[in-house]
Amino acid sequence: MTVIAERESCADVATATLPHVGPLLPVVGADTTVPLVDGTQRVYANLDYAASAPALEAVAARVTEVLPLYASVHRGAGYLSQVSTALYESSRQAIARFVDARPDDVAIITRNTTDSLNLLAGVVPAGGRVLVLDVEHHANLLPWVHSGGRHGNTTTILPIEKTVAETLGSLRAELARLPYALVTVTGASNVTGESLPVDEVVAIAHAAGARVAVDGAQLVPHRGFSLAATDADYVAFSGHKTYAPFGAGALVGRRDWLDTGTPYLAGGGAVRDVRSDRTIWQPAPARHEAGSPNVLGAIALAEACDQLAALPAGALTAHEEALRGRLVEGLSTVEGVEIARIWPDSADPVGVLTFTVPGHDAGLVAAYLAAEHGIGVRDGRFCAHPLLAHLGATGGAIRASVGVGTTSEAVDRLVDALRTYLTDGPSSRYEVVDACWAVVDDTRPLVEVHGLDHLAATAAAACGPALDD
């Protein structure tokens, strides 16, 4: 693992002299308190934005506003159907506008990034080769590996090199060796926040006759993205990471493959005419949106896009740089914490950072942070198993991620809690229950939601598959 090794001589001065960083936009639940094992309550420090970001208050308000108008979209003569159709289609336009789509691009409403990339994998021309790097989240790895048998396509997984420059060189060499239809690449790693320069990847790929798809799950909400400026062919992203957790995502890009490729789902709304001996399909986007769509999800995502787009130029980047820099500086003072890096020459990482505490199980550290300090982080392999193996963290790591609702207090609390853990150890006893670390005899109540009792009874369900995201 590449590690940031520099440490301050005095462990207590790291963040004390840094200015306070407040929230950039108000999010729902920013003042939510959670119970600690010592019986006290503390405001939740959400440092797990990379998994699912909280809803913007403006998004929640927009959903509340339009919910009374909700009805079936498309082909409905009723007034509310017409209103809902207009809201859905205007949301599509807002989503496309947010990623600076070109006039001939098409925006398809999906469930999330994974859904979008599986859809795209199904429309790559038959027999086309796809090139993907081993740095990818499973959402931008498994669709290409598993789509080949259905479409006659082949996928090459290219190992990353030690530097960005070397990785770009390896990409250029591979594209010169064989013809490829598509290069698909992360816009920002969900593990370290780092990335290859998208515009350079596009230039290299286009020179070789290949198109480029960008997994924008982390890049879009953390930095924004422009199809027009980068000349990338496709971008996929998720609402639940873009402050609109209502189950919608998007695939935006060039129309030709999407107009003629195999429909993603077979069903109503995707067809022009059906007879017993043949089916005539719609062009995109309807071609890939069979069934009743997630109208409220699309409206929520569009509102989130509009709210982010309305921020002053550079505000989002400046906010994340301040928080990420504070986190790096703070963790660098804690003896026993190692920060993961993919490439030492990667510039402008987004607000996602992964670290390990050698000699300490990542799941135990994450459980301690939650139970004793009210801090939410992610532990495991983050649905990026090849990358974690490359980083030498096959047993898992810990990820902290920030967003528009994050403050410097949450960052400082994480740094202080890790220092306490390494100095004094946990105050509670922990055990592994169904592959997950949990407080022994944890009786903290869950919030009053029907069907929920206490944390100990639901630990296994909350944990999910071990070592994953």
Side-chain angles (χ1 to χ4, degrees):
M1 179 183 296
T2 302
V3 173
I4 297 178
E6 301 83 0
R7 301 187 186 276
E8 299 290 333
S9 58
C10 177
D12 296 325
V13 300
T15 57
T17 59
L18 296 176
H20 171 73
V21 180
L24 188 60
L25 286 172
V27 298
V28 176
D31 58 352
T32 298
T33 60
V34 295
L36 306 185
V37 289
D38 64 2
T40 64
Q41 295 268 336
R42 193 157 191 190
V43 173
Y44 185 61
N46 185 354
L47 293 174
D48 197 17
Y49 274 63
S52 284
L56 295 176
E57 288 187 353
V59 169
R62 178 63 167 163
V63 171
T64 299
E65 176 189 19
V66 302
L67 193 56
L69 306 174
Y70 170 73
S72 179
V73 302
H74 301 143
R75 300 171 302 284
Y79 182 78
L80 292 189
S81 287
Q82 294 182 47
V83 170
S84 289
T85 298
L87 286 168
Y88 184 71
E89 292 303 330
S90 64
S91 295
R92 188 193 309 279
Q93 296 171 12
I95 291 164
R97 185 168 58 246
F98 181 61
V99 292
D100 201 13
R102 297 152 296 225
D104 57 344
D105 285 335
V106 61
I108 299 173
I109 308 301
T110 65
R111 292 182 298 168
N112 46 47
T113 305
T114 301
D115 201 38
S116 297
L117 293 170
N118 273 274
L119 190 162
L120 183 60
V123 302
V124 175
R129 290 187 180 90
V130 176
L131 182 60
V132 61
L133 302 177
D134 65 356
V135 73
E136 301 297 331
H137 185 282
H138 294 167
N140 197 30
L141 182 65
L142 297 181
W144 314 106
V145 173
H146 289 277
S147 67
R150 289 178 292 156
H151 305 286
N153 301 332
T154 57
T155 298
T156 298
I157 301 175
L158 187 68
I160 56 175
E161 303 292 344
K162 293 181 179 180
T163 67
V164 167
E166 291 171 336
T167 302
L168 292 175
S170 179
L171 177 65
R172 186 180 290 106
E174 179 61 25
L175 289 171
R177 188 179 73 87
L178 289 171
Y180 282 89
L182 181 72
V183 175
T184 181
V185 65
T186 184
S189 168
N190 76 304
V191 177
T192 69
E194 298 168 275
S195 64
L196 297 173
V198 172
D199 52 351
E200 291 187 43
V201 172
V202 171
I204 292 169
H206 283 183
R211 293 188 178 187
V212 174
V214 177
D215 173 355
Q218 301 300 335
L219 180 62
V220 169
H222 288 274
R223 286 288 186 276
F225 184 74
S226 171
L227 282 165
T230 63
D231 203 27
D233 300 279
Y234 304 95
V235 64
F237 62 106
S238 297
H240 74 99
K241 298 182 191 296
T242 315
Y243 309 102
F246 294 92
L251 173 67
V252 188
R254 301 200 186 276
R255 175 177 285 278
D256 53 349
W257 286 5
L258 295 165
D259 271 346
T260 59
T262 303
Y264 188 45
L265 293 174
V271 294
R272 283 182 171 171
D273 189 56
V274 177
R275 299 184 185 180
S276 59
D277 59 345
R278 60 109 173 99
T279 301
I280 299 175
W281 298 97
Q282 295 271 27
R287 186 184 192 89
H288 303 287
E289 293 183 7
S292 296
N294 182 356
V295 179
L296 293 177
I299 293 170
L301 177 53
E303 180 65 26
C305 291
D306 285 345
Q307 291 292 321
L308 292 174
L311 289 170
L316 187 58
T317 299
H319 182 257
E320 286 211 351
E321 284 181 344
L323 290 169
R324 194 183 196 280
R326 191 183 193 102
L327 183 55
V328 169
E329 185 169 345
L331 292 180
S332 297
T333 70
V334 182
E335 199 69 41
V337 171
E338 297 183 351
I339 301 174
R341 291 292 303 271
I342 303 172
W343 301 292
D345 57 338
S346 177
D348 191 28
V350 304
V352 180
L353 183 147
T354 288
F355 61 92
T356 59
V357 184
H360 300 266
D361 188 278
L364 172 58
V365 176
Y368 157 83
L369 292 171
E372 301 188 28
H373 297 275
I375 300 169
V377 293
R378 179 78 27 163
D379 70 278
R381 290 186 287 173
F382 319 120
C383 287
H385 296 183
L387 176 56
L388 267 291
H390 175 85
L391 294 173
T394 54
I398 304 154
R399 183 182 69 192
S401 50
V402 302
V404 298
T406 310
T407 68
S408 53
E409 188 277 333
V411 169
D412 295 348
R413 198 198 304 180
L414 173 63
V415 173
D416 291 341
L418 286 168
R419 184 175 293 119
T420 300
Y421 172 85
L422 288 167
T423 302
D424 303 330
S427 62
S428 298
R429 291 191 303 117
Y430 295 80
E431 64 181 359
V432 176
V433 179
D434 292 327
C436 299
W437 285 95
V439 177
V440 175
D441 298 326
D442 190 355
T443 58
R444 286 175 295 158
L446 288 170
V447 293
E448 294 183 3
V449 177
H450 178 69
L452 297 180
D453 185 7
H454 56 83
L455 288 178
T458 57
C463 178
L467 299 179
D468 223 334
D469 193 329

